[in-house]
């Protein structure tokens, strides 16, 4: 028995994995007991040392693209299997810094596991603004999101103050069909009651823009569009302070000043910026002033524990020129007949982040976040947009105040079953929102006066919208082999929305300028519901550079009470609307982390039950109005493709300082209302769905000089469910004709300085992307004509 114990031989085996996404890492050097014996990991990241005696062993793992890792294991009376995780890092060799990076294209996709989120088997997109040749000063969405397939972009203003994007037939208005976040926390007015985003982070301050399509509903909540997450730039390391200053000028009096400061002092790190933006707009009555400030401060208690604080403030005041009818647009798209319309927004966000790693396999993130904001509009908005502004009439004044707070916790565990690595995620969220919306008659002047004529007697509606949301979610990556994995997930939601207030109608009078209201009707509404969403994803790696993925997920979208009592002269809102439900399917193939080419080709199917939309009808006085209600089942399916390649680098046999990148992003989409109780809608195309959505371009660079030319084409699309073609006197419904736009950009970097130039709408096309039902219309909102921009950046 003694001899058996003394001479027993055992083995140490394991697998080396990326701490970012738990994928195996090949070609790692694994050293046992300080170089006495070593192995190289195979394609599956596996290694093995055999014929070992009981005792303690020191394992050192090295890989050029990762930080090295040292662990100790003990053999007692059985073999040891040890997974080892490596963290992406950087190494300095002489004066050359080698860092891990995704691509040089400015576009990639998310890792399987990233920032305590699971993305394996999902359609994801990542935009890297610093690698783009684009007009960042104006947040030009057409250029910034050019690589994201199938996005429909509304162009509200040339300054990029508000972002309005949608995809796959979802309304782009203020990106309300995406779950919009900054550094992982909500930034919209109210995630349930009013999911519109009046604040858009300046792209000059953004490190990444992460997009996760419909399958994001399981981790991030009930939006058909998925997740849109702005990751702000991080503090500079190895520096006490680094300052970046950008000054931009452009057409129509545009001026943008952006200054950021960041650094690290021992365990304390920070990143902060301030931006001022002003301009006159290409149409009259379009001047604006915008101020945005942001601060991120982090304290690293230990290597495993960090606490961070984010504070954001934004406010802007903008004059709105109003919308146009079809005839007005044809005659002169620059014209405006509104000089008393104003829009005022104040947005304050805070977030507290706590991150802790218990060990290399278990970590937790806790976020506390909140919003204190307001959105005020005042103006003259007649249904007949050709009607001249009337100084004798009181303006329509709507005030919205928003207060919300929440907490979200995520726990991630990496574990092994046999020789396969798996990842488990569980999280919970509590959210409380409180909206207060008041609509009444404002002043008769022309200035930005946001006071009611009579706070007590001339109020059309006054509602408070308290709501709460509790949710629990979980997902798990089961790796059945080194190439194939299954990712099931569940989400439990409990939603309680309320509306408490009153509304009053206006009594018609002979004198249209006099105001008399009828009796007030008090109203209390409550809707409490709970449900479970499910989904499953699949991932297959036929080779290290190719990934085949697919997923099926249920989706849900709550009705927004805050929209249901807004008095609009061109609209009628059904007070009995119900929540929207459905599911989405994605299947695709994409490249994995290549520097010379990148592609993602996928098909999708979106089933949208109880879809809320608008159609044209008549009121009891035979006036044409739009009615907003649940209009039926919408089915949207299509093919989305993105491909990009550095042609010069691929063809050149030796190293060269030249680069020639060609990209194409195309979506072919088919849509139909399969079922509807409204005869005029059944069988019609779904609104906001262009059949062809194409963006392509070329980027040529030589050393520090870069040039980019981009081409955009969208085919015809409808703006309402009846597929009305003629906008009539209001311009709020009708066809949005196809359009073709080109954008040109140049940049040159010389040491600390960088010069950027952009010409947007190079061929000076007259076009529009939206017909507004309310502000900033109603009516057609013309997009900017040809504009020029110049930016000078200095980094100290």
């Amino acid at each position: 028995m003694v001899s058996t114990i003394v001479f027993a031989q055992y083995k140490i085996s394991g697998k080396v994995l990326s701490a970012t996404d738990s994928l195996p890492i090949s070609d790692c050097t694994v050293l046992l007991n300080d170089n006495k014996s070593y192995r190289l990991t195979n394609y599956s990241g596996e290694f093995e040392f055999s014929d070992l005696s009981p005792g303690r062993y020191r394992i050192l793992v090295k890989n050029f693209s990762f930080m090295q890792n040292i662990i100790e294991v003990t053999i007692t009376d059985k073999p040891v299997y040890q997974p080892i995780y490596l963290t992406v890092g950087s190494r300095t060799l002489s004066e050359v810094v080698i860092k891990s990076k995704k691509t040089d294209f400015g576009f990639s996709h998310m890792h399987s596991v990233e920032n305590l989120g699971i993305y394996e088997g999902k359609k994801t997109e990542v935009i890297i603004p610093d690698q783009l040749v684009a007009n960042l000063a104006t947040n030009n969405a057409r250029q910034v999101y050019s690589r994201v397939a199938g996005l429909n972009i509304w162009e509200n203003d040339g300054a990029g103050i508000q972002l309005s994007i949608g995809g796959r037939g979802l309304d782009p208005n203020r990106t309300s069909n995406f779950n919009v976040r900054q550094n992982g926390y909500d930034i919209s007015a109210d995630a349930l009651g009013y999911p519109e985003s009046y604040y858009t982070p300046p792209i000059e301050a953004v490190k990444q823009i992460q997009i996760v399509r419909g399958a994001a509903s399981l981790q991030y909540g009930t939006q058909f569009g998925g997740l849109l997450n702005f990751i702000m730039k991080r503090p500079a390391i190895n520096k006490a302070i680094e300052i970046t200053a950008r000054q931009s000028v452009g057409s129509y009096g545009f001026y943008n000043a952006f200054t950021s400061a960041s650094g690290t002092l021992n365990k304390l790190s920070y990143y902060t910026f301030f931006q001022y933006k002003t301009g006159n707009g290409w149409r009259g009555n379009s001047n604006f002033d915008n101020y945005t400030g942001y601060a991120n401060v982090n304290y690293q208690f230990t290597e495993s524990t960090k606490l961070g604080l984010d504070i954001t403030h934004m406010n802007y005041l903008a004059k709105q020129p109003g919308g146009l009818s079809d005839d007005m647009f044809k005659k002169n798209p620059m014209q405006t007949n509104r000089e008393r319309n104003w829009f005022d927004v104040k947005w304050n966000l805070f977030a507290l982040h706590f991150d802790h790693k218990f060990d290399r396999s278990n970590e937790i993130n806790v976020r506390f976040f909140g919003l204190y904001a307001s959105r005020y509009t005042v103006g003259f908005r007649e249904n007949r947009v050709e009607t001249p502004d009337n100084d004798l009439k009181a303006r329509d004044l709507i005030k919205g105040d928003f207060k919300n707070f929440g907490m979200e916790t995520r726990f991630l565990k990496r574990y092994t079953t046999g020789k396969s690595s798996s990842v488990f995620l569980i999280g919970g969220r509590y959210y409380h929102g409180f909206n207060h919306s008041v609509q009444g008659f404002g002043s008769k002047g022309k200035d930005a006066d946001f006071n009611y004529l009579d706070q007590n007697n001339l109020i059309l509606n006054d509602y408070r919208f308290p709501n709460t949301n509790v949710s629990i979610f979980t997902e798990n990556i089961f790796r059945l082999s080194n190439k194939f994995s299954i990712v099931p997930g569940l989400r439990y939601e409990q939603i309680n929305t309320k509306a408490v207030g009153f509304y009053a109608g206006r009594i018609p009078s002979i004198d249209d300028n006099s105001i008399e209201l009828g009796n007030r009707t008090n109203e209390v509404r409550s809707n409490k519901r709970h449900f479970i969403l499910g989904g499953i994803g699949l991932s297959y790696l036929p080779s290290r550079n190719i990934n085949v993925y697919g997923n099926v997920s249920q989706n849900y979208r709550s009705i927004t009470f805050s929209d249901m009592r807004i008095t609009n002269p061109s609209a009628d809102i059904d007070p009995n609307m119900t929540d929207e439900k459905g599911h989405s399917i994605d299947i695709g193939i994409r490249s994995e982390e290549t520097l010379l080419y990148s592609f993602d080709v996928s098909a999708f199917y979106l089933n949208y039950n109880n879809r809320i939309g608008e159609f044209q009808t008549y009121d009891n006085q035979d006036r044409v109005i739009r009615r907003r209600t649940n209009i039926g089942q919408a089915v949207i399916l299509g093919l989305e493709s993105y491909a990009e390649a550095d042609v010069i680098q691929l063809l050149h046999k030796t190293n060269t300082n030249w680069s020639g990148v060609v990209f194409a992003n195309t979506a072919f989409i088919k849509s139909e209302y399969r079922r509807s109780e409204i005869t005029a809608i059944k069988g019609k195309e779904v609104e906001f769905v262009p059949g062809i959505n194409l963006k392509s371009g070329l980027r040529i660079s030589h050393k520090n000089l870069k040039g980019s030319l981009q081409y955009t084409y969208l085919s015809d699309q409808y703006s309402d469910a009846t597929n009305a073609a003629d906008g009539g006197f209001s311009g709020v419904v009708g066809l949005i004709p196809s359009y073709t736009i080109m954008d040109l950009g140049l940049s040159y970097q010389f040491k600390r300085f960088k010069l950027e130039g952009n010409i947007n709408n190079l061929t000076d096309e007259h076009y529009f992307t939206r017909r507004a039902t309310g502000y900033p219309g109603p009516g057609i909102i013309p997009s900017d004509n040809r504009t020029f921009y110049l930016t000078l950046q200095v980094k100290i």
Side-chain angles (χ1 to χ4, degrees):
M1 184 177 64
V2 171
S3 65
T4 301
I5 294 174
V6 171
F7 296 105
Q9 301 294 298
Y10 300 97
K11 69 177 181 179
I12 297 175
S13 61
K15 179 181 288 190
V16 180
L17 306 164
S18 168
T20 302
D21 53 17
S22 295
L23 288 175
I25 306 173
S26 61
D27 300 322
C28 294
T29 302
V30 185
L31 300 103
L32 190 67
N33 284 353
D34 298 326
N35 302 335
K36 291 182 178 179
S37 178
Y38 75 92
R39 301 285 188 271
L40 289 177
T41 58
N42 61 17
Y43 174 79
S44 301
E46 296 170 334
F47 66 91
E48 181 179 304
F49 295 94
S50 58
D51 299 328
L52 301 176
S53 301
R56 299 185 65 183
Y57 292 87
R58 185 173 183 267
I59 301 175
L60 171 64
V61 183
K62 295 180 178 180
N63 183 283
F64 191 73
S65 299
F66 294 81
M67 301 286 286
Q68 72 178 26
N69 192 6
I70 302 174
I71 64 170
E72 289 189 354
V73 298
T74 300
I75 298 178
T76 54
D77 58 353
K78 61 181 180 180
V80 174
Y81 181 81
Q82 180 66 50
I84 301 174
Y85 292 91
L86 300 186
T87 302
V88 175
S90 63
R91 302 167 53 185
T92 303
L93 302 177
S94 301
E95 296 183 355
V96 181
V97 178
I98 301 168
K99 296 183 178 179
S100 172
K101 58 183 178 180
K102 291 190 174 181
T103 71
D104 284 328
F105 301 135
F107 183 80
S108 184
H109 63 268
M110 301 183 71
H111 292 292
S112 297
V113 180
E114 191 168 327
N115 296 327
L116 276 84
I118 289 179
Y119 306 104
E120 186 154 326
K122 298 177 176 62
K123 183 175 177 64
T124 65
E125 291 123 332
V126 176
I127 302 167
I128 308 169
D130 279 350
Q131 294 182 4
L132 301 176
V133 183
N135 187 354
L136 304 184
T138 66
N139 297 344
N140 189 288
R142 192 171 58 244
Q143 291 177 291
V144 172
Y145 299 88
S146 61
R147 269 76 166 174
V148 182
L151 281 190
N152 193 0
I153 300 170
W154 280 2
E155 299 170 9
N156 296 309
D157 60 84
I161 297 175
Q162 289 185 22
L163 176 66
S164 291
I165 60 174
R168 301 178 173 180
L170 302 176
D171 189 344
N173 189 38
R174 298 190 182 96
T175 321
S176 59
N177 279 285
F178 279 94
N179 189 309
V180 185
R181 300 190 176 198
Q182 176 178 279
N183 291 338
Y185 54 86
D186 297 73
I187 63 174
S188 59
D190 188 303
L192 295 173
Y194 197 57
E196 298 189 7
S197 300
Y198 289 93
Y199 159 70
T200 301
I203 300 301
E204 293 169 304
V206 173
K207 178 184 178 182
Q208 287 186 356
I209 303 171
Q210 300 173 342
I211 299 174
V212 185
R213 297 303 179 104
S217 62
L218 300 182
Q219 284 185 60
Y220 294 99
T222 56
Q223 291 292 354
F224 278 81
L227 170 72
L228 175 65
N229 187 26
F230 295 92
I231 302 297
M232 308 302 284
K233 289 183 177 178
R234 301 306 190 194
I237 58 175
N238 302 323
K239 286 185 178 181
I241 185 170
E242 178 183 86
I243 297 176
T244 301
R246 292 171 57 91
Q247 299 284 316
S248 304
V249 294
S251 302
Y252 306 107
F254 177 83
Y255 172 71
N256 175 68
F258 175 90
T259 303
S260 68
S262 70
T264 301
L265 299 167
N266 298 320
K267 294 185 177 183
L268 185 71
S269 61
Y270 66 93
Y271 175 80
T272 182
F273 75 81
F274 177 77
Q275 181 193 54
Y276 170 65
K277 187 183 294 187
T278 186
N280 298 321
W282 85 289
R283 298 172 65 201
N285 300 315
S286 300
N287 50 291
F288 61 88
D289 288 283
N290 173 246
Y291 304 83
T292 306
Y294 168 85
N296 164 251
V297 181
N298 306 284
Y299 189 80
Q300 193 81 41
F301 291 95
T302 68
E303 188 175 323
S304 302
T305 306
K306 182 175 74 171
L307 185 68
L309 175 67
D310 287 7
I311 298 176
T312 305
H313 170 77
M314 183 273 291
N315 71 81
Y316 70 87
L317 177 66
K319 201 170 186 180
Q320 297 186 322
L324 306 178
S325 67
D326 291 63
D327 288 340
M328 294 172 71
F329 178 81
K330 291 175 183 177
K331 291 177 182 177
N332 180 12
M334 290 186 68
Q335 67 177 295
T336 169
N337 60 0
R338 298 288 179 265
E339 56 182 351
R340 301 191 299 148
N341 293 13
W342 293 89
F343 198 81
D344 179 76
V345 173
K346 293 179 175 63
W347 225 250
N348 298 284
L349 301 162
F350 71 88
L352 190 67
H353 310 257
F354 175 75
D355 294 275
H356 178 70
K357 292 185 177 180
F358 299 98
D359 50 43
R360 297 187 184 278
S361 300
N362 301 278
E363 55 186 309
I364 192 172
N365 169 264
V366 182
R367 290 191 185 98
F368 298 91
F369 56 91
L371 173 143
Y372 184 81
S374 64
R375 168 256 198 212
Y376 295 169
T377 62
V378 64
F380 178 74
R381 52 171 191 166
E382 285 291 307
N383 194 18
R384 291 181 175 271
V385 296
E386 295 183 2
T387 304
D389 210 336
N390 186 349
D391 293 354
L392 299 177
K393 273 193 172 184
R395 293 179 289 180
D396 184 35
L397 174 58
I398 303 174
K399 290 186 178 183
D401 292 285
F402 314 101
K403 301 175 185 177
N404 64 58
F405 65 89
M407 182 184 77
E408 186 168 314
T409 302
R410 290 168 172 256
F411 173 76
L412 187 78
K413 180 177 181 62
R414 296 176 174 89
Y415 65 98
T416 57
T417 52
K419 292 186 177 181
S420 298
S421 62
S422 299
V423 183
F424 171 71
L425 170 70
I426 189 169
R429 170 183 168 95
Y430 174 81
Y431 181 87
H432 176 79
F434 183 84
N435 300 342
H436 184 200
S437 178
V438 183
Q439 181 178 11
F441 291 93
S443 70
K444 299 180 180 180
K446 296 182 179 181
D447 59 345
D449 181 359
F450 296 99
N451 294 305
Y452 292 102
L453 275 180
D454 188 336
Q455 181 73 48
N456 297 318
N457 300 310
L458 296 181
I459 301 299
L460 289 166
N461 53 69
D462 186 336
Y463 278 84
R464 286 168 171 79
F465 303 98
N467 62 74
T468 56
N469 174 217
V470 177
S471 58
I472 301 172
F473 54 89
T474 182
E475 288 196 38
N476 201 114
I477 301 176
F478 294 102
R479 291 207 168 96
L480 305 184
S481 69
N482 294 324
K483 296 185 176 184
F484 182 66
S485 61
I486 299 177
V487 190
L490 290 172
R491 184 180 185 91
Y492 169 78
E493 289 273 358
Q494 179 179 292
I495 300 174
N496 189 6
T497 51
K498 296 181 180 179
V500 181
F502 70 84
Y503 63 93
R506 182 175 181 178
I507 299 175
S509 61
I510 298 176
D511 181 6
D512 196 34
N513 296 324
S514 63
I515 303 171
E516 183 180 357
L517 300 184
N519 294 328
R520 292 180 175 180
T521 301
N522 294 317
E523 188 175 29
V524 178
R525 304 182 64 191
S526 179
N527 187 4
K528 187 174 183 178
R529 58 272 201 207
H530 58 89
F531 51 89
I532 294 176
L533 300 176
I536 189 168
L538 304 173
S539 177
Y540 176 66
L541 295 169
S543 69
R544 184 166 180 81
N545 293 328
I546 301 295
N547 177 218
V548 180
Y549 63 92
N551 60 77
V552 180
S553 294
Q554 292 178 297
N555 301 90
Y556 177 95
R557 188 171 189 267
S558 173
I559 59 171
T560 59
F561 276 153
S562 55
D563 282 339
M564 294 186 63
R565 280 298 177 189
I566 298 298
T567 303
N568 188 326
S570 64
D572 174 60
I573 299 176
D574 180 3
N576 298 313
M577 280 191 288
T578 59
D579 299 332
E580 301 169 301
K581 302 176 183 179
H583 64 271
S584 60
I585 302 173
D586 283 295
I587 184 169
I589 182 171
R590 63 190 171 204
S591 60
E592 292 279 344
E593 303 225 0
T594 60
L595 296 178
L596 298 181
Y597 68 89
S598 180
F599 67 86
D600 188 342
V601 180
S602 65
F604 74 88
Y605 176 91
L606 177 61
N607 181 64
Y608 209 139
N609 295 321
N610 299 327
R611 179 184 170 98
I612 295 175
E614 299 175 354
F615 67 98
Q616 190 168 280
T617 184
Y618 297 88
D619 64 9
N620 52 14
Q621 298 179 17
D622 289 331
R623 294 179 301 185
V624 177
I625 60 168
R626 292 172 301 102
R627 183 165 177 80
R628 183 172 178 82
T629 185
N630 296 105
I631 54 180
Q633 178 202 21
V635 172
I636 307 165
L637 58 127
L639 179 68
E640 297 174 334
S641 64
Y642 152 79
E644 190 161 13
D646 192 329
V647 179
I648 293 179
Q649 293 285 344
L650 282 171
L651 297 178
H652 214 279
K653 300 299 182 182
T654 59
N655 291 331
T656 176
N657 291 319
W658 284 93
S659 172
V661 176
V662 178
F663 84 91
N665 156 16
T666 309
F668 300 98
I669 303 177
K670 175 70 175 177
S671 65
E672 182 186 6
Y673 280 105
R674 291 279 175 87
R675 290 199 300 264
S676 177
E677 295 181 0
I678 305 167
T679 306
I681 291 177
K682 185 177 180 181
K684 295 295 179 67
E685 292 184 25
V686 179
E687 61 271 37
F688 313 126
V689 183
I692 301 174
N693 189 331
L694 168 66
K695 301 177 184 70
S696 63
L698 171 68
R699 189 191 73 190
I700 301 291
S701 64
H702 180 257
K703 295 183 178 180
N704 294 328
L705 178 65
K706 297 180 180 180
S708 174
L709 179 65
Q710 179 179 308
Y711 172 89
T712 301
Y713 169 78
L714 267 73
S715 61
D716 295 346
Q717 57 183 297
Y718 295 104
S719 60
D720 82 318
T722 63
N723 296 178
D726 185 8
F729 55 80
S730 68
V732 299
V733 298
L735 189 70
I736 298 176
S738 63
Y739 57 88
T740 300
I741 306 298
M742 299 179 71
D743 299 289
L744 178 67
L746 293 168
S747 73
Y748 179 72
Q749 182 146 5
F750 177 72
K751 296 183 178 180
R752 298 178 181 271
F753 298 93
K754 187 177 184 181
L755 186 65
E756 302 172 6
N758 281 274
I759 305 176
N760 294 124
N761 192 358
L762 181 65
T763 55
D764 199 20
E765 300 294 324
H766 289 167
Y767 70 105
F768 63 91
T769 62
R770 71 173 297 191
R771 294 175 180 266
T773 58
Y775 291 111
I780 291 171
I781 307 300
S783 297
D784 283 14
N785 64 352
R786 185 193 295 124
T787 50
F788 302 84
Y789 299 92
L790 188 66
T791 298
L792 176 64
Q793 172 184 299
V794 59
K795 184 176 289 189
I796 303 172

